[in-house]
Amino acid sequence: MANLENEELEKLSKSSVALSAYEMGQLQDELHDWHVEMKGGVNQLFRNFTFDNFAGALEFTNKVGALAEEYNHHPEIVTGWGYVQVRWWSHVVSGLHTNDFIMAAKTEQL
Amino acid sequence: MANLENEELEKLSKSSVALSAYEMGQLQDELHDWHVEMKGGVNQLFRNFTFDNFAGALEFTNKVGALAEEYNHHPEIVTGWGYVQVRWWSHVVSGLHTNDFIMAAKTEQL
């Protein structure tokens, strides 16, 4: 899947299913700086971004927040002095969906 | 210590020391919604705030960020859909200082 960041998000429902380990691996090939982490039994797509100070970090948090609002898909964002950690996952599938990899790719473009 | 939120922050140095458990307990009496959590071997002062949506959460994150910049003391802020988690601690003492309780009290005023 080329240009993951340009793919359209799929509307999820209760019958949507999480990606298999194989599918996650395929999608992750395009996102070298992201890794899959299990947290509370739920697979999440995680990346740490570094910044020179707190203001730069908070500015990035707001950019990620605006992206999330635009696509109505929301990550967890950890903001600290010099870093921002972003975690994407899909609540309805209790894990990762292609949508999360698309959002991670869009996050990379910010 | 009445009106903790109006206290002035102390400038910390390498000789500054973390609060004792007794001192933390005394200060925490004023901050019922905050609790002390150890994370990575470091005591942190933690509170979860809830919101109706993502935008409200991000708005609060920005208020906490502005407070942090004003006092040049920075927390870790977790922003998600409907919640913001704030963690205060003092890097130089590898734990909690009175400054963190003052910042938590100021956070309550936002």
Side-chain angles (χ1 to χ4, degrees), chain A residues 1-5 25-32:
Chain A
M1 193 184 291
N3 301 319
L4 192 54
E5 71 273 14
Q26 294 280 98
L27 286 165
Q28 219 187 330
D29 275 352
E30 293 188 44
L31 295 165
H32 297 290

Side-chain angles (χ1 to χ4, degrees), chain A residues 54-92:
Chain A
F54 185 82
L58 187 58
E59 189 182 336
F60 185 71
T61 292
N62 279 293
K63 285 183 184 171
V64 177
L67 182 74
E69 289 285 76
E70 181 180 351
Y71 290 93
N72 196 29
H73 188 44
H74 300 86
E76 186 172 90
I77 313 171
V78 180
T79 312
W81 198 99
Y83 63 91
V84 173
Q85 295 164 353
V86 182
R87 290 178 185 278
W88 291 102
W89 77 98
S90 293
H91 188 77
V92 73

Side-chain angles (χ1 to χ4, degrees), chain A residues 24-68:
Chain A
M24 288 192 278
Q26 294 280 98
L27 286 165
Q28 219 187 330
D29 275 352
E30 293 188 44
L31 295 165
H32 297 290
D33 294 321
W34 294 75
H35 53 278
V36 175
E37 274 190 4
M38 187 166 276
K39 194 178 163 193
V42 174
N43 277 322
Q44 302 181 334
L45 192 57
F46 172 86
R47 183 180 168 184
N48 186 65
F49 296 86
T50 56
F51 299 89
D52 290 337
N53 50 39
F54 185 82
L58 187 58
E59 189 182 336
F60 185 71
T61 292
N62 279 293
K63 285 183 184 171
V64 177
L67 182 74

